[in-house]
Amino acid sequence: FALLKNTRMLKAVQKNATKGDPESVISAIDYYCRHKEWAMNVGDEKGLILDSVLTEVNPSTALELGTYCGYSTVRIARLLSPGSKLITVEFNPAFAAVARQIIAYAGLQDKVTLVEGPSGDLIPKMKARFGIKSFDFVFLDHWKDRYVPDTKLLEDCGLVSEGSVLLADNVICPGAPEYLKYVRNSPRYESRYYKSNLEYTKVEDGLEKSVFLG
Ligand SMILES: O=C(NC/C=C/[C@H]1OC[C@H](O)[C@@H]1O)c1cc([N+](=O)[O-])cc(O)c1O
Ligand SMILES: [Mg+2]
């Protein structure tokens, strides 16, 4: 049952990782999900691509849609420069509860604001609630049919500006075909596909990086 799997994952982190050490939290989750129970974290292989794009962008304000258990939240937050912030949005309260504990175990709670609720409702409130001008980096990893509507919402709310980078997980598996069409056909984005594999498997998947041109 998914809820209990997430608490087992948290227990594996508390047992095998070192408190305050994000790398050990990442390794503990990857080990657990590869050898014990598969889970939908971006994973170690696509995680390296996420790391490289993050290092290139070096965002001062970042947004993650779809926290799940906080694995990619930890991957992103550990690479943020001092004073930079990550806002992560999670709809499912049970996932959010586990994510809070995993983010805290990694010692990254001061860099991360976890907001519970539907992304479609929360995005329009971001400026007012968090004083965000615009996001330098957005990681899309939530419901795949929300990628297009939420990207349009980010545009309409002025939360992306020239040079903002969107990075979308799962564009092949489970797939986000509408999103690929949207960013690849729009004159407002410069898109490229990073071929990889679905977390902990040999199935093809990949990340789509799209730079907003304003
Ligand atoms: O649905 C996926 N992600 C969206 C998750 C949606 C659900 O979890 C978080 C959100 O609140 C919702 O309850 C997903 C699915 C697979 N998969 O292989 O099925 C692989 C992935 O990397 C994924 O991000
Ligand atoms: Mg994913």
Side-chain angles (χ1 to χ4, degrees):
F1 175 50
L3 176 67
L4 292 178
K5 170 164 80 172
N6 302 323
T7 46
R8 285 195 295 274
M9 193 194 300
L10 171 61
K11 295 233 172 329
V13 167
Q14 293 165 335
K15 178 166 173 285
N16 303 315
T18 307
K19 206 163 171 37
D21 175 2
E23 297 303 330
S24 72
V25 169
I26 291 165
S27 304
I29 294 173
D30 283 330
Y31 184 88
Y32 186 77
C33 295
R34 188 175 286 283
H35 300 291
K36 302 278 190 288
E37 291 188 271
W38 186 91
M40 57 182 169
N41 316 118
V42 73
D44 44 3
E45 195 179 323
K46 287 185 287 180
L48 288 174
I49 301 167
L50 171 60
D51 290 357
S52 70
V53 173
L54 265 166
T55 308
E56 174 200 329
V57 177
N58 188 26
S60 46
T61 52
L63 173 67
E64 174 180 59
L65 300 175
T67 316
Y68 185 39
C69 291
Y71 173 87
S72 45
T73 320
V74 168
R75 282 202 85 109
I76 295 167
R78 87 194 202 286
L79 294 178
L80 292 180
S81 304
S84 297
K85 295 291 287 177
L86 168 64
I87 295 176
T88 184
V89 175
E90 177 51 55
F91 169 76
N92 181 316
F95 293 162
V98 167
R100 286 189 202 287
Q101 295 175 79
I102 287 179
I103 293 159
Y105 199 85
L108 294 167
Q109 65 286 348
D110 295 346
K111 290 174 174 285
V112 178
T113 304
L114 197 162
V115 197
E116 285 182 47
S119 52
D121 297 355
L122 291 168
I123 287 170
K125 298 172 183 160
M126 291 278 166
K127 285 198 180 225
R129 280 179 64 173
F130 303 104
I132 303 284
K133 283 186 306 308
S134 86
F135 291 109
D136 310 306
F137 178 82
V138 182
F139 183 53
L140 297 94
D141 193 22
H142 58 335
W143 279 314
K144 309 315 160 193
D145 61 5
R146 288 298 313 176
Y147 284 17
V148 172
D150 285 347
T151 298
K152 288 180 174 172
L153 208 44
L154 287 165
E155 292 167 17
D156 297 345
C157 298
L159 284 166
V160 284
S161 51
E162 186 177 345
S164 292
V165 172
L166 306 187
L167 189 65
D169 191 24
N170 310 118
V171 294
I172 302 300
C173 177
E178 296 307 310
Y179 178 75
L180 286 183
K181 266 206 290 286
Y182 180 70
V183 288
R184 290 176 178 176
N185 297 342
S186 164
R188 301 181 79 185
Y189 290 96
E190 184 60 46
S191 247
R192 68 161 281 191
Y193 174 63
Y194 293 79
K195 186 175 188 288
S196 185
N197 294 298
L198 180 68
E199 49 267 28
Y200 319 116
T201 78
K202 292 185 171 38
V203 174
E204 181 179 345
D205 187 22
L207 301 170
E208 186 82 358
K209 175 191 165 192
S210 307
V211 183
F212 187 62
L213 303 173

